[in-house]
Amino acid sequence: MAQASAATAHAHEHGSHEHKELHGILKYLWSTDHKVIAMQYLFTGMFMAMVGGFMAYVFRMQLAFPGKSVPLFGYVSPGRYNALITAHGSIMIFWVAMPVLIAAFGNYLIPLMIGADDMVFPRLNRLSYQVFLLSVIVLLSSLFVKGGGFGGGWPAYPPLSANAKYNLTPLGSSMWLVAVALEFAAFLMGGINFITTLMNARAPGMKAYDIPMMPWMVVIASIMFMLSVGPLIAGAIMLFFDQNLGTGFYDPSRGGDPILWQHLFWFFGHPEVYVVLLPAVGTVLEIITTFARKKLFGYKTLLYTAAATAVLSFFVWAHHQFIAGIDPRMANIFTVTTMIISIPIAEMCFVIIATLYGGDIRLSTPMLWALAFMAEFLIGGCTGIFLGASGADIYLHETYFVLAHFHYTFFPIAIIGTFAAFTYWFPKMFGKMLNETLGKIHFWGTIIPFNLIFIPLFILGLDGQQRRIYDFQNFPELRHLQPIRILATISLVVMLLFQFVFFFNVIRAWLKGPKAPKNPWQSNTLEWTAESPPPHGNWPPDRMPKVYRGPYEYNHPDREDDYWPQNIPPEPEPAPSPAR
Amino acid sequence: MQTPIATTRSATGIPTGRLAIWWLVASEIVIFGGLLLSYVMHRIGHPEWAIAQAHTHTFVGAFNTFVLLTASFTAVKGHEAAEKGDGKRAAKFLYLTMGGACLFILVKSLEWTSEILEGFTIQANGFWAFYYTAAGLHALHVIAGAIVIFFVARDAAKGRNLQRVEYVGIYWHFVDIIWIFLFPLLYIAK
Amino acid sequence: MSEQDRDTHQHHPDYTKIYVALVILLIISVVGTFSGILWITFIMAFGVAVVKATLVAENFMHLKWEKVVAKWVLGISLVLMLLFFAGVSPDIMKDRGLQWVNNADLAATARGIPDEEEPGKGAPASAAESAKAAAPTQTAAAAPAAAPFNPETTFKTVCAACHGPEGEGNGPGAAALNPKPANFTDPAFWTDKTDSILEKAIRQGGASVGKSSAMPAWGSILTEAQAKQMVAYLHTLKGK
């Protein structure tokens, strides 16, 4: 983290000529600049990704070599195993995917891409990060308190999560709940900021259909988050009271119902996965238009499809509860809606393919990540269809098939999406260029092992291997699958080792990489018209950009250049490129 | 911190602050909606909770409803004054609203104390669990609203940021509307 | 702030009139509780609430004059709440299915009923009782089981929820049941029942004797001897 701060300060001092921006430690406590806050979210999120990844290493080592002490960790008891998988899931979704894709890149890019000097509520922005940081501290502390961290799975079903007699982690379970609640509060605050900024603070001339896809996606995601999290907040309060005040909201012997929690959780939980999906798709769209030098095929189609996905995502939640004892008539309905939601997602895939078709494709590192996102997410999406059929789900629920399915969706979103966005916008954010060769080595070193981890897990799931089990040696009929478990674990270790290439690349670029020009990728969107990195206020106040066209005018017949930035006024003579 | 140019823009025609408050209200609707609907579902499935519910004090609830309605009235009168640019008058009305909030909390504290002393604690049964949770969450919003109103009123008295009188008013009216539904749910529908 | 100052064409209805209307509506809703007729009380209470909320929203929050986007934002959140209710209520509102019975919940219901033999204590007794009984999980007849077995107390705490305190089949839980619970005061009930049938129904549930499965199986908390005592008690309810 110290390296990160030093490097960020270094990068910012480069750009901040004019405004009275704070320096040193004060900047990180009090700055309201959206770029500083974005960096804070980014580095916190990436730190948590390392924590979550390490946890995955530990529990996968336990699964592959049961009972053996795990290097760098020690023995994994059943209780610790449960705490590790719970924390891994919670961290990756709430403390990696959301902060990096939405809070970090959303915060950084929305003002820049719409031509604003900051978010509309900078102090609320700062508060949201501070609350978020508090949630990180509470969560990490919960792992070290008496009894250890909560081990009831990230969906935290009662009665296990409600009753310390069952979960054996009285402090840990409450702290986990408080951490999640704080994270929700942080994102509610952030969401209001993003939505209002996009709705109101656009550059003059930027009509709704001139907004690039990334801000749209982050804002649609924020709206979905805000509307879906409400019932869960109510449910979390009830769970907290059950844990600590002896109420019986989820206790059938007291007139409560555990299924209520499941509904409250998944009413949020399902839209949540699309909340993290959409910004990743937004990143991919920005990248492919830039590196295929081609206009987005069907901007409006895509926008309406994204909106349709958002709406439909609220109608599918009980597919997580098919075998929980819900009303079977509901299961019918939710199967149908779950099948239907695959249609807009498929439509988005078609738009992306159509955009690439006939393009002048440059296979840079960001482009590789974007293409990998498509391929891997496709596998994830298709396997979701098996699970969405309630009949098949009777067998597949709670098996490793589910695990593999959601890693084939979440990994593209949270990890591939992050690397895509990071490598694409790194020049803008840090003012330096990353090394392409190292980038490609890192890319292949991540993608190939990733598939070797999770394709075996589909096989394990179909063979009947259940989730959340600490040691499969206790299941004689599953023992023969141990080689597959070992293969998955070794692939994970290899993948984690390749991440060192990424860190090496990043740190080397920071310290002595080539300086980045304003617009190294020759892209159209407004962020590329600011300095790399942009100063406080993004542009001089008297030269805020104005917008004259849509964001994806590549290879336009009226232009000599193969790109046409949004802010160039329509001149008769071919204007020289603003920056090269 | 200087207000960014971004905050002054308004592509929708609604001022940024007010737009933000509408989104805040929307997010609160789903929070309270989730809680209250969970209560309704349980209540319909547990007809015997009527016996517990009989012990709520309808007149106290009605009085509190009256207090909140009046506080909403003073809030909107404050907005009317702020619109005309009269910050001092607006502040006076806002302080009255704050007073209403405090009275509401006071009455509720007394009500809850008497109920707890009668043995109706939050653990007593499902009805009381929901009763304290729903009314408690609402009360927290009343307190938060009162605090914000205090700061807005202080600024308004000095003639600063008069537009915030309207925005805090919208939040306050929403808190009133929640109680408008809580009152029949908890006190009347027995 | 300049662009925003232009938005000052606010309409100001007569707030005092609206306020008076709100107070009158409040009084109506309270008065409605004294009508004694459940449906009138409900309609007045909730109907009035909707009207009051609309008045406040339209006039105090100025939604009447606000740009339509704000109404969409609020409207969508309300629609979502309907969706939430529609999706969740089939599971939560009815926790007694046709194929199964929620024994633990029935017992909790029974504990929630105040002990009518001691009017002075009234609800607090049951509140304390249910708090006590709730602490050890899953022992439905905890209170009677701790003391020497008393059929009358057991009837009142476990059975009366559905069968009513006098065994007339009119307990609060009966409202949700069809067919209605047995009415032990009715001579017609006793024409085709032997003691062993009754014991079997009590211990193994109504379905075991060809009756409704809504009658739970209490065999986990009543021994054979205790069930016999219960049947003897039921006989005393005849013709009451």
Side-chain angles (χ1 to χ4, degrees), chain A residues 151-204:
Chain A
W154 84 283
Y157 284 3
L160 181 63
S161 59
N163 198 322
K165 276 206 319 271
Y166 303 147
N167 61 43
L168 305 178
T169 59
L171 261 183
S173 48
S174 289
M175 286 175 78
W176 176 88
L177 194 56
V178 168
V180 173
L182 285 170
E183 196 261 7
F184 286 170
F187 276 90
L188 280 174
M189 289 189 259
I192 293 183
N193 228 338
F194 297 156
I195 299 168
T196 343
T197 303
L198 185 71
M199 284 177 83
N200 258 359
R202 289 170 258 149

Coordinates of all heavy atoms in Angstrom, one line a residue, chain A residues 151-204:
Chain A
G151 N -18.5 -18.2 9.2 CA -18.2 -19.3 8.3 C -19.5 -19.8 7.7 O -19.6 -21.0 7.3
G152 N -20.6 -19.0 7.6 CA -21.8 -19.5 7.1 C -22.1 -19.4 5.7 O -23.2 -19.5 5.2
G153 N -21.0 -19.1 4.9 CA -21.3 -18.9 3.5 C -21.7 -17.4 3.2 O -22.3 -16.8 4.0
W154 N -21.3 -16.9 2.0 CA -21.5 -15.5 1.8 C -23.0 -15.1 1.8 O -23.4 -14.0 2.2 CB -20.8 -14.9 0.6 CG -21.5 -15.1 -0.7 CD1 -21.6 -16.3 -1.4 CD2 -22.2 -14.1 -1.5 NE1 -22.3 -16.0 -2.6 CE2 -22.7 -14.7 -2.6 CE3 -22.5 -12.8 -1.3 CZ2 -23.5 -14.1 -3.6 CZ3 -23.2 -12.1 -2.2 CH2 -23.7 -12.7 -3.4
P155 N -24.0 -16.0 1.5 CA -25.4 -15.7 1.6 C -25.9 -15.8 3.0 O -27.1 -15.4 3.2 CB -26.1 -16.7 0.7 CG -25.1 -17.3 -0.1 CD -23.9 -17.3 0.7
A156 N -25.1 -16.3 3.9 CA -25.4 -16.2 5.3 C -26.8 -16.6 5.7 O -27.6 -15.9 6.3 CB -25.2 -14.8 5.8
Y157 N -27.2 -17.8 5.3 CA -28.6 -18.3 5.6 C -28.8 -18.5 7.1 O -27.9 -19.1 7.8 CB -28.9 -19.6 5.0 CG -29.2 -19.5 3.5 CD1 -29.1 -18.3 2.7 CD2 -29.5 -20.7 2.8 CE1 -29.3 -18.3 1.4 CE2 -29.8 -20.7 1.4 CZ -29.7 -19.5 0.7 OH -29.9 -19.5 -0.6
P158 N -29.9 -18.0 7.7 CA -30.2 -18.4 9.0 C -30.8 -19.8 8.9 O -31.2 -20.2 7.8 CB -31.3 -17.4 9.5 CG -31.9 -16.9 8.2 CD -30.8 -17.0 7.1
P159 N -31.0 -20.6 10.0 CA -30.6 -20.3 11.4 C -29.1 -20.3 11.6 O -28.6 -19.9 12.7 CB -31.2 -21.5 12.1 CG -32.1 -22.2 11.2 CD -31.7 -21.9 9.8
L160 N -28.3 -20.8 10.7 CA -26.8 -20.9 11.0 C -26.3 -19.5 11.3 O -25.5 -19.3 12.2 CB -26.1 -21.5 9.8 CG -24.6 -21.6 9.9 CD1 -24.2 -22.6 11.0 CD2 -24.0 -22.1 8.6
S161 N -26.7 -18.5 10.5 CA -26.1 -17.2 10.6 C -26.7 -16.4 11.8 O -26.1 -15.5 12.3 CB -26.3 -16.4 9.4 OG -27.6 -16.2 9.1
A162 N -27.9 -16.9 12.2 CA -28.6 -16.1 13.3 C -28.2 -16.6 14.7 O -28.4 -15.8 15.6 CB -30.1 -16.2 13.1
N163 N -27.7 -17.8 14.8 CA -27.6 -18.4 16.1 C -26.2 -18.8 16.4 O -25.7 -19.7 15.7 CB -28.5 -19.6 16.1 CG -28.9 -20.1 17.5 OD1 -28.0 -20.0 18.3 ND2 -30.1 -20.5 17.7
A164 N -25.6 -18.2 17.4 CA -24.2 -18.4 17.7 C -24.0 -19.9 18.2 O -22.9 -20.4 18.0 CB -23.7 -17.4 18.7
K165 N -25.0 -20.5 18.7 CA -24.9 -21.9 19.1 C -24.6 -22.7 17.9 O -23.9 -23.8 18.0 CB -26.2 -22.4 19.7 CG -26.4 -22.1 21.1 CD -27.3 -23.0 21.8 CE -28.6 -23.5 21.1 NZ -29.7 -22.6 21.3
Y166 N -25.0 -22.3 16.7 CA -24.8 -23.1 15.5 C -23.5 -22.7 14.8 O -22.7 -23.5 14.3 CB -26.0 -23.0 14.5 CG -27.3 -23.4 15.1 CD1 -28.5 -22.8 14.7 CD2 -27.4 -24.4 16.1 CE1 -29.7 -23.1 15.2 CE2 -28.6 -24.8 16.6 CZ -29.8 -24.1 16.1 OH -31.0 -24.5 16.6
N167 N -23.3 -21.3 14.7 CA -22.2 -20.9 13.8 C -20.9 -20.8 14.6 O -19.8 -20.7 14.0 CB -22.5 -19.6 13.1 CG -22.8 -18.4 14.0 OD1 -22.1 -18.2 15.0 ND2 -23.8 -17.7 13.7
L168 N -21.0 -20.8 15.9 CA -19.8 -20.7 16.8 C -18.9 -19.5 16.6 O -17.8 -19.5 17.1 CB -18.9 -22.0 16.6 CG -19.6 -23.3 16.8 CD1 -18.7 -24.5 16.5 CD2 -20.2 -23.4 18.2
T169 N -19.4 -18.5 15.9 CA -18.7 -17.3 15.7 C -19.5 -16.1 16.1 O -19.9 -15.3 15.3 CB -18.2 -17.1 14.3 OG1 -19.4 -17.0 13.5 CG2 -17.3 -18.2 13.8
P170 N -19.8 -15.9 17.4 CA -20.7 -14.8 17.8 C -20.3 -13.5 17.4 O -21.0 -12.7 16.9 CB -20.8 -15.0 19.4 CG -19.7 -15.8 19.7 CD -19.3 -16.7 18.6
L171 N -19.0 -13.2 17.6 CA -18.5 -11.9 17.2 C -18.3 -11.8 15.7 O -18.7 -10.8 15.1 CB -17.1 -11.6 17.9 CG -17.1 -10.8 19.2 CD1 -15.6 -10.6 19.6 CD2 -17.7 -9.4 18.9
G172 N -17.7 -12.8 15.2 CA -17.4 -12.8 13.8 C -18.6 -12.6 12.9 O -18.6 -11.9 11.9
S173 N -19.7 -13.3 13.2 CA -20.9 -13.2 12.4 C -21.5 -11.8 12.4 O -22.0 -11.3 11.4 CB -21.9 -14.3 12.7 OG -22.1 -14.3 14.1
S174 N -21.5 -11.2 13.6 CA -22.1 -9.9 13.7 C -21.2 -8.9 13.0 O -21.7 -7.9 12.3 CB -22.3 -9.4 15.1 OG -23.3 -10.2 15.7
M175 N -19.9 -9.0 13.1 CA -19.0 -8.1 12.5 C -19.1 -8.2 11.0 O -19.0 -7.2 10.2 CB -17.5 -8.3 12.9 CG -17.3 -7.8 14.4 SD -15.7 -8.2 15.0 CE -14.7 -7.0 14.1
W176 N -19.2 -9.4 10.5 CA -19.4 -9.6 9.0 C -20.6 -8.9 8.6 O -20.5 -8.1 7.6 CB -19.5 -11.1 8.8 CG -19.8 -11.5 7.3 CD1 -18.8 -11.7 6.4 CD2 -21.0 -11.6 6.7 NE1 -19.5 -12.0 5.2 CE2 -20.8 -11.9 5.4 CE3 -22.4 -11.5 7.2 CZ2 -21.9 -12.1 4.4 CZ3 -23.4 -11.7 6.3 CH2 -23.1 -12.0 4.9
L177 N -21.7 -9.0 9.3 CA -22.9 -8.3 8.9 C -22.7 -6.8 8.9 O -23.2 -6.1 8.0 CB -24.0 -8.8 9.9 CG -25.4 -8.5 9.5 CD1 -25.8 -9.1 8.1 CD2 -26.4 -9.0 10.5
V178 N -22.1 -6.3 10.0 CA -21.9 -4.9 10.0 C -21.0 -4.4 8.9 O -21.3 -3.3 8.3 CB -21.2 -4.5 11.4 CG1 -20.7 -3.1 11.4 CG2 -22.2 -4.7 12.5
A179 N -20.0 -5.2 8.5 CA -19.1 -4.8 7.4 C -19.9 -4.7 6.1 O -19.7 -3.8 5.4 CB -17.9 -5.8 7.3
V180 N -20.7 -5.7 5.9 CA -21.5 -5.7 4.7 C -22.5 -4.5 4.7 O -22.6 -3.8 3.7 CB -22.3 -7.0 4.5 CG1 -23.3 -6.9 3.4 CG2 -21.4 -8.2 4.4
A181 N -23.1 -4.2 5.8 CA -24.0 -3.1 5.9 C -23.3 -1.8 5.6 O -23.8 -0.9 4.9 CB -24.7 -3.0 7.3
L182 N -22.1 -1.6 6.1 CA -21.3 -0.4 5.9 C -21.0 -0.3 4.4 O -21.0 0.8 3.8 CB -20.0 -0.4 6.7 CG -20.2 -0.1 8.2 CD1 -18.9 -0.4 8.9 CD2 -20.6 1.3 8.4
E183 N -20.6 -1.4 3.8 CA -20.3 -1.4 2.4 C -21.5 -1.0 1.6 O -21.4 -0.2 0.6 CB -19.8 -2.8 2.0 CG -19.1 -2.9 0.7 CD -20.0 -3.4 -0.5 OE1 -21.2 -3.5 -0.2 OE2 -19.5 -3.5 -1.6
F184 N -22.7 -1.4 2.0 CA -23.9 -1.0 1.3 C -24.1 0.5 1.4 O -24.4 1.2 0.5 CB -25.1 -1.7 1.9 CG -25.2 -3.2 1.5 CD1 -26.2 -4.0 2.1 CD2 -24.4 -3.7 0.5 CE1 -26.3 -5.3 1.8 CE2 -24.5 -5.1 0.2 CZ -25.5 -5.9 0.8
A185 N -23.9 1.0 2.6 CA -24.1 2.4 2.8 C -23.1 3.2 1.9 O -23.5 4.2 1.3 CB -23.8 2.8 4.3
A186 N -21.9 2.8 1.9 CA -20.9 3.5 1.0 C -21.4 3.5 -0.4 O -21.3 4.5 -1.1 CB -19.5 2.8 1.1
F187 N -21.9 2.4 -0.9 CA -22.3 2.3 -2.3 C -23.6 3.0 -2.6 O -23.8 3.5 -3.7 CB -22.3 0.9 -2.8 CG -20.9 0.4 -3.2 CD1 -20.1 -0.2 -2.3 CD2 -20.5 0.7 -4.5 CE1 -18.8 -0.5 -2.7 CE2 -19.2 0.3 -4.9 CZ -18.4 -0.3 -4.0
L188 N -24.5 3.1 -1.6 CA -25.7 3.9 -1.7 C -25.3 5.4 -1.9 O -25.8 6.1 -2.8 CB -26.6 3.8 -0.5 CG -27.4 2.5 -0.5 CD1 -28.2 2.5 0.8 CD2 -28.4 2.5 -1.7
M189 N -24.3 5.8 -1.1 CA -23.9 7.2 -1.3 C -23.2 7.4 -2.6 O -23.5 8.4 -3.3 CB -22.9 7.6 -0.1 CG -23.5 7.7 1.2 SD -22.3 8.3 2.4 CE -21.9 6.8 3.2
G190 N -22.3 6.5 -3.0 CA -21.6 6.6 -4.3 C -22.6 6.6 -5.4 O -22.5 7.4 -6.4
G191 N -23.6 5.7 -5.3 CA -24.6 5.6 -6.3 C -25.3 6.9 -6.6 O -25.5 7.3 -7.8
I192 N -25.8 7.5 -5.5 CA -26.5 8.8 -5.7 C -25.6 9.8 -6.5 O -26.0 10.5 -7.4 CB -26.9 9.4 -4.4 CG1 -28.0 8.5 -3.8 CG2 -27.4 10.8 -4.5 CD1 -28.5 9.0 -2.5
N193 N -24.3 9.8 -6.1 CA -23.4 10.7 -6.8 C -23.3 10.3 -8.3 O -23.4 11.2 -9.1 CB -22.0 10.5 -6.2 CG -21.3 11.8 -5.8 OD1 -21.7 12.8 -6.4 ND2 -20.4 11.7 -4.9
F194 N -23.1 9.1 -8.6 CA -22.9 8.7 -10.0 C -24.1 9.0 -10.8 O -24.0 9.6 -11.9 CB -22.6 7.2 -10.2 CG -21.3 6.7 -9.5 CD1 -21.2 5.4 -9.1 CD2 -20.3 7.6 -9.3 CE1 -20.0 5.0 -8.5 CE2 -19.1 7.2 -8.7 CZ -19.0 5.8 -8.3
I195 N -25.3 8.7 -10.3 CA -26.5 8.8 -11.1 C -26.8 10.3 -11.3 O -27.0 10.8 -12.4 CB -27.7 8.2 -10.3 CG1 -27.5 6.7 -10.1 CG2 -29.0 8.5 -11.1 CD1 -28.4 6.1 -9.2
T196 N -26.7 11.1 -10.3 CA -27.0 12.5 -10.4 C -25.9 13.2 -11.3 O -26.3 14.1 -12.2 CB -27.0 13.3 -9.1 OG1 -27.1 12.3 -8.0 CG2 -28.1 14.2 -9.0
T197 N -24.7 12.8 -11.2 CA -23.7 13.4 -12.1 C -24.0 13.1 -13.5 O -23.9 14.0 -14.4 CB -22.3 12.8 -11.7 OG1 -22.0 13.1 -10.4 CG2 -21.2 13.5 -12.6
L198 N -24.3 11.8 -13.9 CA -24.6 11.5 -15.2 C -25.8 12.2 -15.7 O -25.8 12.7 -16.9 CB -24.7 10.0 -15.4 CG -24.9 9.6 -16.9 CD1 -23.6 9.8 -17.6 CD2 -25.4 8.2 -17.1
M199 N -26.8 12.3 -14.9 CA -28.1 12.9 -15.3 C -27.9 14.4 -15.6 O -28.5 14.9 -16.5 CB -29.2 12.6 -14.3 CG -29.7 11.2 -14.4 SD -31.0 10.9 -13.1 CE -32.4 11.6 -13.9
N200 N -27.1 15.0 -14.7 CA -27.1 16.5 -14.8 C -25.9 17.2 -15.3 O -26.0 18.2 -15.9 CB -27.4 17.0 -13.4 CG -28.8 17.5 -13.2 OD1 -29.6 17.4 -14.1 ND2 -29.2 18.0 -12.0
A201 N -24.7 16.5 -15.1 CA -23.5 17.3 -15.3 C -22.7 17.1 -16.6 O -21.5 17.4 -16.7 CB -22.5 17.0 -14.1
R202 N -23.5 16.7 -17.6 CA -22.8 16.5 -18.9 C -22.3 17.7 -19.5 O -22.9 18.8 -19.3 CB -23.7 15.8 -19.8 CG -24.0 14.3 -19.4 CD -25.1 13.8 -20.3 NE -26.4 13.8 -19.5 CZ -27.6 13.9 -20.1 NH1 -27.7 14.1 -21.4 NH2 -28.7 13.9 -19.4
A203 N -21.3 17.6 -20.4 CA -20.8 18.7 -21.1 C -21.8 19.3 -22.0 O -22.7 18.5 -22.5 CB -19.6 18.3 -21.9
P204 N -21.8 20.5 -22.3 CA -22.7 21.1 -23.3 C -22.6 20.4 -24.6 O -21.5 20.1 -25.1 CB -22.3 22.6 -23.4 CG -21.3 22.8 -22.4 CD -20.8 21.5 -21.8

